[in-house]
Amino acid sequence: MGTSERKHVLITFGRSFLTLELARLMSAAGHRVTIVDSIPIGITRFSHATSAFHRVPAPKFEPRAYCHALAKIVADEKVDMVIPIHEETDILSMMVDIFPPECELFLSDFDTENRLHNKFEFQELLTARRIQTMKYAEVRGPQDVAALDFDAPFALKECYSRGSQTVHKVSPGDSLDWLEFDPLNPWLAQEWVSGKQYCTYSVVHNGRIHAHATYPVDYAIGGSSCLNFRSVQHDGIYAWIEDFVREMNFTGQVGFDFIEHPERGLYCIECNPRATSGIMMFAPEDRVDRAFFGENDEVITPDATVDKMIGLGMLIYGWRKDSRGDRSIRQFLHDFRGARDVVGAPGDNRPALMLPLAYLGIMRSCIKYRVGLAEGFMHDHEWDGLRISE
């Protein structure tokens, strides 16, 4: 297939490093990039890759106003494609009809997005397709707690939650009196399996993978939200994803978390039907923009030698025991020196210079919403199951 003509893309969640990297990749390929966010100091706003920035309502708290604001920008500025980054993907998928028909929203229909996002529904989907799963159960109330029959430690997490939020490790017999129950956001109990963990990122059109990256979980906040990114090849994981997205006829960005047990094999822990940190592993010469427009025949993958990190995140979290795992402080320092920070880029240093100011803005959100730094970063873009129609 040929290369794309110049397009106008709108990318959401301008505070995100993922948005910054995607904006740079799109701009380097000759496309015009507009950024939106609900806060005024998202770092992507200051990138040379950004042609325009718009402040919009917070999608979590004003979902209708958020979607209408984006639709107006799309119509007024003749945007060709909207690429959502975080959980505003689910919200936009409920209101695709308000957007001009000539603009593509790079996502799947709401039912698909929701089934992949909801951690229990995703496991049910795997079971229905006879895909190997870890033991799991939905917990909606005290009666479900009493019915749990795990004979080994298990994870307990909300069905609508994300990597930076708490995953509780529970042993059989532990008291769960502390659990609070939300009818819109129940809990998932999931067998705790040990093994090598991997994360993925794929750009998919109509069930076909156009770009893909797999990276091991090395340094991660609480062991789950990755801070560094090394490209690895895992044929089993790629084949798993290839089959799954084809059966779902999925369109959009998607990431999967896997764990590989040495005897029992490969398990998919959960799915993130949106952008993941894997986008930061691609370089301008990879021309990953073609994947978004469905123009490439060969699957685009990152260079095998790529080694990147979120530098500030590594400084704040990476050295901690729960983030570095079995690695020593000396190993952390070695790996920190050897990786390239995703924020800085030749010829585009303003985002790095503005990073302290941007984090002050995030701290303001933390105080406003009474949450920690990792949660405050994304709190107003989370979606926990509330339908707009409700």
Side-chain angles (χ1 to χ4, degrees), residues 3 20 33 76 91 111 134-135 195 269 291 301 333 338 357 365 376:
T3 57
L20 174 63
V33 179
D76 291 348
I91 294 168
D111 286 341
M134 296 175 283
K135 184 177 181 179
I269 303 170
T301 57
L333 293 172
L357 185 60
S365 294

Side-chain angles (χ1 to χ4, degrees), residues 57-97:
K60 178 174 182 174
F61 304 111
E62 300 178 81
R64 287 187 175 277
Y66 175 81
C67 292
H68 280 283
L70 264 63
K72 186 176 188 304
I73 296 168
V74 165
D76 291 348
E77 301 191 9
K78 295 181 172 55
V79 172
D80 297 300
M81 176 179 282
V82 174
I83 306 176
I85 295 296
H86 194 46
E87 292 178 8
E88 65 276 7
T89 305
D90 300 83
I91 294 168
L92 288 168
S93 70
M94 287 184 270
M95 296 192 68
V96 293
D97 292 342

